Amino acid sequence: MPGTRGPVPVPVQNGDGDLTLQILQAVNEHDIVKSADTFPNTSQTVIKAALDRLASRSMIEYDTKDSEEVRLTDEGQQIVAEGSHEYKVWDAVRQAGRLSLKDPVLATAAAKAGQGKAFKNKWVKKDGDALVPLTDAVTDTTRDDLQYVADHRAVRRADDLKELRKRTLVTTLKVIAYEARKGPKWALEIPVEVTDLTADMLADGSWEKATFKPYNFKALGEQSPGTGALHPLNKVREEFRKIFFNLGFTEMPTGRFVDTGFWNFDALFVPQQHPARDLQDTFYVSDPAEAGPPGPDPEADAALAAMEEEDRDEESSNQPLTAPPTRTLDYAQYYQNVRSVHQDGAFGSIGYRYPYTDAETRRLVLRTHTTAVSTYCLHRLAAHPRPCKYFSIDRVFRNETVDATHLAEFHQVEGVIADYALTLGGLQGFLRRFFKKMGLVGLKFKPAYNPYTEPSMEVFAWHQGLGKLVEIGNSGMFRPEMLLAMGLPEDLRVYGFGLSLERPTMIKYGIDNIRELLGHKVDLGFIERNAAVRLDKA
Ligand SMILES: N[C@@H](Cc1ccccc1)C(=O)O
């Protein structure tokens, strides 16, 4: 019932109840009602609200009357009560018969002003060093004039106002009041306004007498309810997650935005002097600047275990046929292994052969890639070696110069696969399958370098719109000295790949400046309007 929507009007009240009814009665009795006289104790603002309500129904009409009222000051009130200063001087002189000029009665400022007036009015005169009366009876016009002001809130003669104000006996005050009279739809009671014409009203004829509420063409109408919307990045992220889940991947816990140099760099065989570790490339945390030596992260362990359990329920292919022996992770040993790989070489690697700094490994950084997360999850496999497929999609940070295509924080999509006897061909085959689900075919691989993978490949795909090959990701086989240091079995191979989430999102939504996607320049309308994206033909 659209007509009945909206708040029921609250009656406008004063001390005597519903003011609208009082106004209607007053107008009925007097035809014209002056608000200030009829309702002296009700604020004009409240009166106006009641008048507006009646006027909007054309029951009354009213005018606004601005006027100036004259009011007595404290001194003015005192004169009305006790008489003017000149009167008091004359009265004192009359009673004394003869009053010395030095008498204390004449010493006040008021008495001095009164003396002058009393001389002028010829009520008293000087006789030597004393005053004597000139008359037996006087008319105190000042007092009378002020009495008039008290009674009428106006001066008796317009000319007096200036003088009385100068003597600070009166002040003026602007007052707004209203004058109301009957309007075209005059009635003694506010009629019930009908908002809907019903079949019943037509049938019983009551529509003829009904008062219909006029249409309010100025009403704003119902506001469209504000709703939330997934950010384009989240929409694309959801698509990627679906692809990963369909391929039997388990999602890694990515909550650790701040990580140590150990997991972000050292365990990945990134040399401690590597340019990627420069302040220009990596954000270091200053408070606290350091963490303890590497150890388990119970929160991440629990999250990963829960995810694996969930995928197990779905009978994913992650399960080995026979449960291999489990052992506890030895973090001290792992740390020593990583240290040896860097400093002296181990597990068949000749190492970097530089003095390894323990402090560097404990430094806290904003993770520069999600491979820090993959590394943590992979090392846990040593406790229970088995094939698995892990993925993550989350935020990473790099101390880069921000431009149209780079931000200091962005998102990485990353997948790692661990299995026995994996080959580079297997990685290429997997990448073809993965990117085909996004509509990217005809992949090309280009040799590349990562400290932690060998071989490494950049992945290119043919971009139909741009008519050229574009880089879509980075990939590689994790180095044996990285995996063996973790304690993984020799024949368990791991490969992985990564790409940014922003790049495919920008292509899908036709954005060429990353600031339109993230940051304070984002148009929220754009975020709300955009449909979910399907990662189909580019
Ligand atoms: N960490 C790499 C991606 C990658 C992940 C896993 C293996 C190989 C490469 C990057 O930031 O680009």
Side-chain angles (χ1 to χ4, degrees), residues 10 45 60 84 104 129 151 178 184 206-207 279 284 319 369 379 396 426 459 478 493 499 520 524 530 534:
V10 178
T45 319
I60 61 149
S84 65
D129 60 354
D151 295 342
Y178 304 98
S206 63
W207 64 273
L279 273 176
Y284 287 91
Q319 292 317 298
H369 52 183
H379 97 283
V396 298
V459 188
F478 283 102
R493 308 262 163 83
L499 63 142
H520 65 283
L524 291 179
N530 266 302
R534 298 224 66 91

Side-chain angles (χ1 to χ4, degrees), residues 369 371 398 412 414 450 452-453 474-476 478 496-498:
H369 52 183
T371 315
R398 291 199 192 159
Q412 278 190 332
E414 175 153 327
N450 293 313
Y452 39 94
T453 52
N474 178 13
S475 67
F478 283 102
F497 71 103

Side-chain angles (χ1 to χ4, degrees), residues 198-232:
T198 62
D200 287 349
M201 292 172 73
L202 291 173
D204 67 16
S206 63
W207 64 273
E208 273 183 288
K209 286 196 188 112
T211 306
F212 287 96
K213 186 174 183 172
Y215 283 109
N216 178 3
F217 293 109
K218 287 184 189 147
L220 284 178
E222 203 165 321
Q223 299 277 303
S224 68
T227 51
L230 277 187
H231 190 277

